[in-house]
Amino acid sequence: EIACVAPSAAGGLELSRWTLAGDSFFRRTDAAADGFTVVRYAGTALITGSGAGLQVVTAAGETITLARDVLADITGVAVEDTLLAAASPEWIWVSRRPAAGGAGRPADLATGALAVRNPLAGPTGLTFADGRLVAWRQGAGTPAAVTVDTGAGAVTGTVAGLAAPLLQLEPSPGGLVSLDRAGTVRLVPLPGGSDAGRQLFEAWLPGWLCVVAT
């Protein structure tokens, strides 16, 4: 299954879900959810972020609110094992991933989430790579990405090798894959590793909007 957030005919952003089965690729439903800006799979459910907060969209299509905050826009979400991280321009939160509640419903987001002042001070994307949380700067401006300790909340390293404002930063085996606004795809190492400081791969692919390493 693939989830896609893309501009709708009305000019906003809509969420659609697609299924790849054999040689067929089709949209699961005609109905689309509006207002989401970022989605991440957590099992068969989707963790979604928007200006209104965090939600879970179940496999059956039911939307359940995890957290609501009218003051913070959620610009990045990352999920790994038992952890859920979310970012706004001012803060990064790390908490335990919601477990299933009664009748297959997710439980409420646990209180006491770790709150970290966002070191990038602006719209921020998040991903987990090699067990570490990586925060990266979205939009225009100098590209930047850092690793964050999910226990203490401290910045533990800076990702090197980024040359232009980023559209996307995702985990890849042994590092990260980036897509920037100049149309360049790069494989870059995580800080502290044996390949730190080396350029692993670079290709100019103008017009690309999304890249994933498998």
Side-chain angles (χ1 to χ4, degrees):
E1 185 179 298
I2 295 173
C4 177
V5 175
S8 66
L13 292 175
E14 67 175 11
L15 168 66
S16 58
R17 302 174 75 173
W18 306 74
T19 295
L20 182 65
D23 58 357
S24 299
F25 183 57
F26 56 91
R27 190 164 179 159
R28 283 191 52 193
T29 61
D30 293 330
D34 294 321
F36 297 141
T37 56
V38 60
V39 296
R40 284 289 186 272
Y41 277 101
T44 59
L46 286 174
I47 305 290
T48 66
S50 69
L54 292 170
Q55 298 86 31
V56 167
V57 180
T58 68
E62 181 184 10
T63 300
I64 302 169
T65 298
L66 290 176
R68 181 178 293 110
D69 191 339
V70 297
L71 302 179
D73 289 335
I74 302 299
T75 60
V77 174
V79 181
E80 182 181 75
D81 296 331
T82 60
L83 295 179
L84 166 65
S88 76
E90 294 82 22
W91 294 93
I92 295 173
W93 298 273
V94 181
S95 65
R96 304 292 292 181
R97 173 176 153 186
R105 294 168 60 92
D108 290 337
L109 192 64
T111 57
L114 174 69
V116 181
R117 180 69 71 174
N118 188 342
L120 301 177
T124 298
L126 296 175
T127 189
F128 280 102
D130 194 28
R132 287 183 275 180
L133 180 63
V134 181
W136 55 276
R137 178 173 292 144
Q138 296 176 339
T142 304
V146 296
T147 53
V148 179
D149 185 330
T150 57
V155 173
T156 57
T158 300
V159 177
L162 306 175
L166 295 175
L167 287 173
Q168 191 180 7
L169 189 68
E170 298 286 345
S172 71
L176 299 159
V177 58
S178 71
L179 174 63
D180 64 34
R181 292 175 181 268
T184 302
V185 174
R186 291 182 174 87
L187 290 177
V188 295
L190 285 161
S194 59
D195 290 323
R198 294 179 54 208
Q199 180 173 294
L200 305 180
F201 174 82
E202 178 177 299
W204 185 51
L205 302 168
W208 280 35
L209 298 177
C210 180
V211 61
V212 176
T214 63

